[in-house]
Amino acid sequence: MDKAFINVLYLISSILFIIGLKLLSHPKTAVRGNLTGAVGMFLAIVGVFLEYGKIGQEDIIWIASGILLGTVIGTYIALKVEMTGMPQLVALLNGFGGLASFLVGGNSLMEILETGKNTEFLSNYQFTISTAATGIIGAVTFTGSVIAFGKLQGLVSEKSVRYFGDQIVKVLLFAASLYLGYLNVTQPTVIAWYWYVVIAGSILGILLVMPIGGADMPVVIALLNSYSGIAASATGFVLGNNVLIISGSLVGASGIILTQIMCKAMNRSLPNVLFGGLGGATTTTDAGDIYSGKTKSTSAEEVAMLLDMAQRVVIVPGYGMAVAQAQHAVRDLYNQLTDRNIEVEFAIHPVAGRMPGHMNVLLAEADIPYDKMKEMDEINPTFDTVDVVIINGANDVVNPLAKTDPGSPIAGMPILDVEKAKTIIVIKRSLSPGFAGVPNPLFIQDNCLMYFQDGKKATQEIVTALKDT
Amino acid sequence: MEQFVGYLTIFLLAVFVGFEVITRIPPLLHTPLMSGSNAISGITIIGAVLTLHAVNSPLVKILGFLAIVGATINVVGGFVVTHRMLGMFKKKD
């Protein structure tokens, strides 16, 4: 098949990827955007078969069975996953992308060594350097994603796992993988160097993600997403293929943007997330003394009465709501309130949930209209007109200490200004501190009522109590 | 070298296009963006198919096969789950 024709096909699929992403910018066109991307992928795959030319019978069996197996597994997990499990799935998919990339890098090298064809590539720095880069980035993405998956799934401790000198070990290992990469570039005929690069990268991926605590997961998932794109792009440099370079860099850019947004929403820098100290180790022991006797607890009946008199209610969902699987109960509450002509909106902090935008998906799953989900910047100036704010399983994102205490670990983090509302209801199982490990003075504020209960149970009880009023 | 600069140009231009397009996507759709863009990163499937041929080494075949499986899971899983999610973001009356 004419090479120019195939390249045009690759160009079209690159353009379709860009248009697809562009259409993702509005819920109305997003479905079409995703389908556009899928068509782009289909064309690219058609392109590669044309590029392949005549495929031997044996190869056809390998390729077809690989695609079939991947399709079955991919479809199964995509249809099976719960919306609360979305971060795990994305982590896993990132991992598979990384795995595929470093395997392709290794295979390209072995192909040259085994066939003795195109040996001029071995003295071509573009080829050798990008192969080594594919090995490192692909391997880090793969094992890093597996650990992130394990943490989100509860298979690996969600806590920050640290030990004496861990930063030094990471730096040394990074240096070692660069050195192995250098050996791979200078001695490309020794295939073992490539696999040593992959092994070093794999260990690095594990060590990089292990110390990162649960609340920093949105940053990690976004970063790994970016890595999987960069790894794909690197394979494009290895093979000299534009569609791989373009698609990979689109994903890389997307992940970096989301990483930036998440870091900004926590007022932290990326190095601080990757190497920083925040993460469970700073749990204050005297939190009980701060609260003792000053918090007021409430009941479902009292909350129902307050809601009955309210005109504008804002619900703040946090990860606690997701863990309790309370989104459907929250929807019932939403319906109850809107039936009484009470205006209900949802205030969503950028880092609520375990990945960017996770809370929106959970609420959308429960049939809550997307135009009721408000971003922090949009809803913050309006909190003084809110009669009742219900905080369901959120803590740090509503902690006023972020604004008042410059010494606090969450100092400077943008928060939802819920303290301005007339009445604050906090649904929380106990007074335990949030991820940042600092007490929340909001809880002892005069207009704050604590409802100590599981997020789902509490919401159901409020709904029942509302029906009786 | 000349070739490399050409590829680098394409890479950087695509990064800029990516930044322009993606910064316009609202936080509401960030999770579908992630799973959707993830599916796109499964484009490595092209590389996986290309590197599987021409060599009779069983190791290359097996690694190529694994790469195809991994990339296909990425592509199919990514697009399907994104479709499923976006279906939930319908306007309700």
Side-chain angles (χ1 to χ4, degrees):
Chain A
M1 189 58 75
D2 187 8
K3 183 80 189 154
F5 175 76
I6 294 161
N7 281 334
V8 169
L9 211 55
Y10 285 155
L11 179 66
I12 295 172
S13 69
S14 306
I15 293 169
L16 288 179
F17 289 146
I18 294 168
I19 294 174
L21 286 173
K22 210 172 146 60
L23 290 174
L24 262 187
S25 56
H26 198 282
K28 275 185 192 143
T29 54
V31 174
R32 217 178 336 135
N34 186 48
L35 293 174
T36 309
V39 171
M41 186 61 72
F42 178 75
L43 287 185
I45 293 171
V46 170
V48 78
F49 280 110
L50 296 176
E51 186 170 350
Y52 212 115
K54 204 161 159 263
I55 309 175
Q57 207 168 13
E58 194 203 357
D59 283 353
I60 275 286
I61 294 168
W62 281 108
I63 295 169
S65 50
I67 291 180
L68 188 70
L69 184 61
T71 306
V72 170
I73 299 173
T75 313
Y76 178 78
I77 54 178
L79 292 180
K80 204 77 184 161
V81 66
E82 301 263 349
M83 289 300 134
T84 37
M86 197 51 70
Q88 287 93 308
L89 177 73
V90 169
L92 205 61
L93 292 177
N94 281 335
F96 280 120
L99 173 83
S101 293
F102 78 68
L103 289 177
V104 168
N107 255 7
S108 319
L109 199 55
M110 283 196 290
E111 193 185 315
I112 292 172
L113 298 178
E114 302 239 349
T115 57
K117 283 186 210 156
N118 300 325
T119 43
E120 71 274 11
F121 276 115
L122 297 178
S123 51
N124 177 339
Y125 281 127
Q126 181 202 319
F127 177 82
T128 48
I129 293 175
S130 37
T131 306
T134 309
I136 297 180
I137 305 167
V140 168
T141 311
F142 174 56
T143 54
S145 301
V146 169
I147 297 295
F149 169 81
K151 278 180 174 264
L152 291 162
Q153 190 75 24
L155 303 171
V156 180
S157 165
E158 253 211 48
K159 291 216 179 73
S160 165
V161 180
R162 316 195 72 113
Y163 49 91
F164 179 72
D166 59 341
Q167 312 288 25
I168 299 163
V169 172
K170 275 183 272 182
V171 170
L172 287 179
L173 194 63
F174 182 62
S177 41
L178 283 185
Y179 181 65
L180 289 167
Y182 167 77
L183 292 176
N184 179 223
V185 170
T186 49
Q187 301 165 40
T189 48
V190 186
I191 186 74
W193 291 130
Y194 180 79
W195 296 116
Y196 291 146
V197 167
V198 168
I199 292 167
S202 300
I203 302 171
L204 189 62
I206 296 172
L207 294 188
L208 274 175
V209 180
M210 278 309 281
I212 299 175
D216 283 335
M217 274 301 140
V219 181
V220 180
I221 304 282
L223 193 65
L224 288 169
N225 193 35
S226 179
Y227 285 172
S228 78
I230 297 168
S233 208
T235 58
F237 278 87
V238 173
L239 300 165
N241 187 313
N242 282 336
V243 72
L244 285 169
I245 296 174
I246 295 172
S247 335
S249 54
L250 289 174
V251 182
S254 154
I256 288 289
I257 292 170
L258 293 176
T259 308
Q260 257 178 352
I261 293 173
M262 292 297 110
C263 283
K264 217 178 128 204
M266 297 192 291
N267 191 36
R268 317 248 312 268
S269 68
L270 185 56
N272 187 263
V273 172
L274 292 179
F275 302 105
L278 196 67
T282 50
T283 316
T284 35
T285 44
D286 56 346
D289 301 338
I290 294 163
Y291 296 130
S292 63
K294 291 178 205 151
T295 58
K296 293 184 283 288
S297 41
T298 187
S299 63
E301 289 71 29
E302 194 186 358
V303 176
M305 266 181 325
L306 284 164
L307 289 172
D308 194 43
M309 289 183 292
Q311 287 185 315
R312 184 164 181 242
V313 172
V314 168
I315 298 173
V316 179
Y319 192 66
M321 184 207 83
V323 171
Q325 297 266 21
Q327 62 270 35
H328 297 281
V330 167
R331 190 258 333 272
D332 292 340
L333 179 63
Y334 168 83
N335 288 344
Q336 278 280 323
L337 295 174
T338 42
D339 284 349
R340 291 162 193 249
N341 288 321
I342 300 167
E343 190 193 354
V344 187
E345 282 171 331
F346 292 82
I348 301 175
H349 192 276
V351 291
R354 283 297 188 264
M355 68 187 287
H358 188 204
M359 208 48 78
N360 303 83
V361 173
L362 292 176
L363 295 177
E365 185 204 11
D367 277 339
I368 286 162
Y370 62 78
D371 49 4
K372 298 291 174 196
M373 306 174 198
K374 303 292 178 194
E375 288 166 39
M376 179 172 63
D377 294 340
E378 194 185 345
I379 203 153
N380 260 352
T382 70
F383 269 112
D384 44 9
T385 67
V386 174
D387 299 306
V388 180
V389 56
I390 301 176
I391 299 162
N392 195 332
N395 189 351
D396 292 334
V397 297
V398 292
N399 192 338
L401 270 187
K403 286 186 292 191
T404 54
D405 178 8
S408 154
I410 53 168
M413 171 173 148
I415 59 156
L416 289 159
D417 296 327
V418 290
E419 78 268 20
K420 285 193 266 169
K422 271 198 204 87
T423 308
I424 305 155
I425 316 278
V426 178
I427 299 174
K428 204 174 178 319
R429 281 183 301 181
S430 70
L431 278 172
S432 65
F435 174 73
V438 285
N440 192 338
L442 181 76
F443 301 164
I444 51 171
Q445 213 169 289
D446 283 340
N447 57 344
C448 181
L449 300 170
M450 302 298 295
Y451 188 174
F452 295 111
Q453 180 65 279
D454 167 82
K456 186 176 177 179
K457 255 207 176 123
T459 314
Q460 284 168 339
E461 284 170 11
I462 296 170
V463 172
T464 318
L466 256 179
K467 282 179 185 155
D468 296 340
T469 51
Chain B
M1 191 62 201
E2 197 187 318
Q3 206 190 16
F4 175 71
V5 174
Y7 289 133
L8 194 64
T9 311
I10 288 166
F11 173 76
L12 290 176
L13 286 177
V15 169
F16 277 108
V17 171
F19 268 90
E20 278 304 308
V21 173
I22 288 150
T23 40
R24 285 167 215 274
I25 298 178
L28 176 72
L29 291 171
H30 277 169
T31 294
L33 165 66
M34 274 193 144
S35 55
S37 68
N38 212 324
I40 294 176
S41 78
I43 189 77
T44 323
I45 189 173
I46 306 277
V49 170
L50 280 177
T51 57
L52 193 135
H53 74 123
V55 190
N56 281 323
S57 143
L59 183 63
V60 171
K61 298 283 184 210
I62 290 168
L63 295 183
F65 172 77
L66 288 178
I68 290 179
V69 174
T72 313
I73 294 176
N74 204 344
V75 168
V76 177
F79 281 125
V80 172
V81 84
T82 309
H83 190 76
R84 216 184 118 199
M85 251 190 283
L86 290 173
M88 295 168 182
F89 282 94
K90 276 188 209 124
K91 186 123 185 166
K92 275 120 200 164
D93 301 305

